Amino acid sequence: MPHLALYRRLRPKDFSEIIGQEHIVRILKNQLSTGTVSHAYLFCGTRGTGKTSMAKILAKALNCTNLTDDGPCGECQSCIAAAQNRNLNIIEIDAASNNGVDNIREIREEVKYPPQDNGVKVYIIDEVHMLSTGAFNALLKTLEEPPAKVVFILATTDPQRIPATILSRCVRLDFRRITVDEMNAALREFTGAENIQITDEALRYICSISDGAMRDALSLLDQCISYYPDEEIGLNNVLELTGAVDNRVFFDLMEALIAFDSGKSLSVIDDMVNKGRDVNRFISDFIYHLRNLLIITSSEATGDILVSEREKYIEQGKKAGSQRIMAFIHEFSALSAALRFSFNERIMLECLCIKLCNPQSDESGDNSALIARIEKLESIPRAVSLPKAEKVPQPDDTIKPWAPSGLPKPTAKSISKSLPKDIDTVVSEWPAFRKTFQAPISAFLEDTRLEPLGEGLCIVFSNNSWISHVSERKGMISEAFLEKYGKDFPLTFIAASEYNIRHGEKSSEPDTKKADAAKQLAEKLGNVEIEWE
């Protein structure tokens, strides 16, 4: 006897065996019990969520002579004939291969004949969105007013491609993706009944990569059973069969990207490729890893994360930050889309990792790249001496590099209010004083000028985007002024454009162009006097 695929062996036989679609089961059971079954249904949902199985059960229930609370009884002649695919009242049509007008015309002719054994004739049209425009038009009238005891069940994975005229004539029922927990419970029950040895980690991984499709999970489980018939199926066995990698690799790669370590990231990729893993699958799984990090960082929800790995996700997520994780998701998603046109996936992946680990080489002008550069500067240990900049002539030789830990803080008695002459001194020394700050503050203050503002100081920024970053470090800058000058200067940050608008003065010098134009006009009018502004 030929092997029967697992998803066919485990196809639900009544409503009680349907997994994850309780809302649809309740609607159909209520309609069957009250006799309010519609003449046309549209089952929508992604692959493997039970659309065809639900259609078969509903068709069997409409022809069952001994209907139960869970649907068809499975024992009457009609149910037995349906289980053996010989019930003439249940007609299944694949619209992907029967999508022409002639095929629909055959249905229009067949519905004129009454069903057998006083049952209900049910037409199950799978992948109905594949019908041509002419076929949809031919189906309209029959679908709207079918003969008595005729029911149409249309199933599709792409309802957007179905004309509105068809949608308006059907009762639409949307099938949702099956959750990992629901899928895992169903497969654990089956493997226990069949005495199949498989670990919890392996079974949960099968469910997680099936993307809510039970058929995909059953197909993958069937492959694992065939590949390892007499041994326990572990996570490594499933990873080897699917070409995937252990999620420890994703933690290692993420650590390398956070630390801007391109060498380590390339080593992770090299190890993954040498083990024969699929690069496309690796990128897809890494994006899912980033998604878990983002969720647990933003809301601390566990989602599909194992309890044993929750602390690792929390630690790495906080270290990376939600903004950077979202940037990584964007970059790797774009790479995944671009790999369809690439001849070497490994090279593309390595180039992206090198780019993310070296933000200073990114000349795109994107703010996220600039932020990454600053984060890389901040990640440099304080003990490491940075290259010294060229010596800049200073107006006062007494100016020393600012180092909070190296100078004694002034006492409360030495702190006094600033005087105008003090402010003038600070403003004149600002070009040299701002260079004494450590990175990244020195980079933020590079293109700024200092202006007096009452009894305080105003730092004017040419680049508006740095104001928010400097504001977060305002206390450090105030402390530097306090230690250097022993004065408490109130600080204000403002953009150069806004400062010019507030403090700009109208030029008193005459506009030579306007003067010349007025003079020429006066000469043409007979040397009359013209007043102009």
Side-chain angles (χ1 to χ4, degrees):
M1 182 178 178
H3 173 70
L4 191 63
L6 197 58
Y7 75 87
R8 295 181 62 189
R9 285 173 52 195
L10 298 181
R11 187 181 291 277
K13 299 177 179 61
D14 55 36
F15 291 127
S16 64
E17 297 182 3
I18 294 289
I19 300 172
Q21 311 299 340
E22 290 79 8
H23 60 298
I24 297 178
V25 169
R26 181 175 180 179
I27 291 173
L28 296 180
K29 288 174 66 174
N30 289 340
Q31 290 186 344
L32 287 170
S33 61
T34 58
T36 57
V37 176
S38 176
H39 67 279
Y41 291 92
L42 178 63
F43 290 172
C44 308
T46 58
R47 68 187 189 284
T49 51
K51 300 184 297 296
T52 303
S53 298
M54 188 77 78
K56 289 176 177 287
I57 294 173
L58 178 58
K60 288 168 61 177
L62 290 172
N63 287 279
C64 181
T65 58
N66 188 24
L67 195 64
T68 65
D69 293 337
D70 293 326
C73 65
E75 300 176 354
C76 64
Q77 293 298 322
S78 176
C79 291
I80 295 174
Q84 298 174 357
N85 293 323
R86 57 181 179 83
N87 192 324
L88 299 180
N89 287 340
I90 302 175
I91 302 99
E92 295 186 45
I93 301 171
D94 179 21
S97 55
N98 300 278
N99 54 7
V101 177
D102 293 337
N103 302 113
I104 302 301
R105 285 174 179 169
E106 292 178 6
I107 297 176
R108 291 173 55 184
E109 294 299 323
E110 291 176 2
V111 296
K112 298 177 181 178
Y113 301 99
Q116 289 187 346
D117 301 327
N118 198 30
V120 178
K121 186 175 287 188
V122 182
Y123 286 89
I124 302 174
I125 306 179
D126 202 8
E127 302 299 332
V128 68
H129 63 270
M130 299 295 289
L131 291 179
S132 64
T133 303
F136 274 124
N137 293 333
L139 184 63
L140 276 178
K141 190 63 176 176
T142 304
L143 190 66
E144 182 178 18
E145 298 178 359
K149 294 191 175 183
V150 174
V151 174
F152 287 92
I153 303 177
L154 314 180
T156 179
T157 57
D158 194 0
Q160 290 79 13
R161 294 173 57 182
I162 298 177
T165 51
I166 297 292
L167 292 172
S168 62
R169 289 165 169 81
C170 302
V171 174
R172 175 170 174 169
L173 299 175
D174 290 284
F175 286 66
R176 64 177 179 84
R177 296 176 186 269
I178 304 173
T179 65
V180 173
D181 291 335
E182 292 171 338
M183 204 179 298
N184 187 72
L187 292 184
R188 176 53 67 189
E189 182 179 354
F190 164 74
T191 54
E194 295 288 329
N195 198 26
I196 298 171
Q197 301 298 319
I198 183 170
T199 64
D200 292 335
E201 289 185 347
L203 194 61
R204 191 169 186 86
Y205 179 76
I206 290 174
C207 298
S208 64
I209 66 174
S210 298
D211 196 24
M214 177 61 79
R215 184 171 62 241
D216 290 4
L218 291 173
S219 297
L220 183 54
L221 179 61
D222 204 3
Q223 293 180 43
C224 294
I225 295 172
S226 301
Y227 200 81
Y228 308 100
D230 300 322
E231 58 182 291
E232 185 182 41
I233 302 172
L235 179 60
N236 291 332
N237 302 128
V238 181
L239 295 175
E240 182 179 356
L241 189 62
T242 58
V245 295
D246 189 357
N247 65 348
R248 287 192 296 267
V249 176
F250 305 133
F251 282 102
D252 293 340
L253 179 59
M254 190 62 183
E255 287 293 336
L257 296 178
I258 294 173
F260 300 97
D261 190 346
S262 56
K264 183 178 178 181
S265 65
L266 294 180
S267 176
V268 171
I269 296 172
D270 183 68
D271 183 64
M272 178 266 299
V273 174
N274 289 337
K275 290 181 179 179
R277 305 309 188 191
D278 182 66
V279 176
N280 286 281
R281 165 65 72 177
F282 176 82
I283 295 173
S284 177
D285 289 347
F286 185 64
I287 294 174
Y288 193 78
H289 176 78
L290 293 172
R291 172 256 183 194
N292 288 339
L293 287 176
L294 182 62
I295 289 178
I296 205 166
T297 303
S298 304
S299 62
E300 295 190 359
T302 56
D304 300 334
I305 301 172
L306 296 175
V307 177
S308 59
E309 297 180 343
R310 186 172 182 272
E311 293 300 327
K312 292 172 62 179
Y313 275 101
I314 293 176
E315 180 182 355
Q316 191 171 78
K318 290 182 178 179
K319 187 184 297 184
S322 58
Q323 292 294 332
R324 199 169 181 193
I325 295 173
M326 286 190 288
F328 285 167
I329 291 176
H330 175 77
E331 293 285 355
F332 281 94
S333 298
L335 174 63
S336 180
L339 288 183
R340 294 178 296 175
F341 311 102
S342 173
F343 66 94
N344 195 315
E345 294 87 352
R346 175 179 179 173
I347 295 177
M348 298 289 288
L349 177 58
E350 290 174 338
C351 288
L352 177 59
C353 291
I354 293 174
K355 171 189 170 184
L356 296 177
C357 291
N358 296 274
Q360 69 274 11
S361 63
D362 188 356
E363 300 179 355
S364 62
D366 186 10
N367 287 336
S368 61
L370 295 175
I371 298 301
R373 297 178 200 177
I374 296 169
E375 290 175 348
K376 185 171 183 178
L377 287 173
E378 291 179 330
S379 67
I380 299 176
R382 296 269 180 189
V384 177
S385 59
L386 297 176
K388 295 183 178 180
E390 296 182 3
K391 187 175 181 180
V392 180
Q394 300 179 359
D396 187 355
D397 293 336
T398 61
I399 296 178
K400 303 297 182 182
W402 172 65
S405 59
L407 294 176
K409 293 186 178 181
T411 61
K413 294 182 179 180
S414 64
I415 300 176
S416 59
K417 291 187 177 181
S418 59
L419 300 175
K421 62 179 182 179
D422 299 326
I423 294 178
D424 293 340
T425 302
V426 175
V427 170
S428 64
E429 294 178 354
W430 174 247
F433 181 58
R434 69 189 180 194
K435 297 180 182 297
T436 64
F437 288 89
Q438 294 181 347
I441 300 179
S442 59
F444 292 140
L445 299 177
E446 182 177 356
D447 194 13
T448 62
R449 71 177 191 269
L450 196 64
E451 299 287 350
L453 184 65
E455 296 182 354
L457 298 171
C458 177
I459 301 179
V460 184
F461 290 81
S462 299
N463 189 343
N464 302 355
S465 59
W466 298 139
I467 296 179
S468 59
H469 299 285
V470 177
S471 299
E472 298 174 357
R473 300 164 173 84
K474 184 176 181 179
M476 299 174 63
I477 300 174
S478 298
E479 184 180 354
F481 279 112
L482 187 60
E483 292 185 1
K484 171 60 183 173
Y485 298 102
K487 302 289 184 179
D488 185 14
F489 297 103
L491 292 180
T492 304
F493 306 134
I494 192 171
S497 57
E498 185 177 352
Y499 182 87
N500 294 336
I501 292 174
R502 292 185 180 182
H503 302 278
E505 297 180 359
K506 187 175 180 180
S507 177
S508 60
E509 298 181 0
D511 190 331
T512 56
K513 292 184 178 181
K514 291 184 177 181
D516 293 342
K519 184 177 181 181
Q520 293 176 6
L521 181 60
E523 292 176 353
K524 291 181 180 181
L525 297 177
N527 295 324
V528 297
E529 293 184 1
I530 297 177
E531 294 182 1
W532 55 277
E533 294 183 357

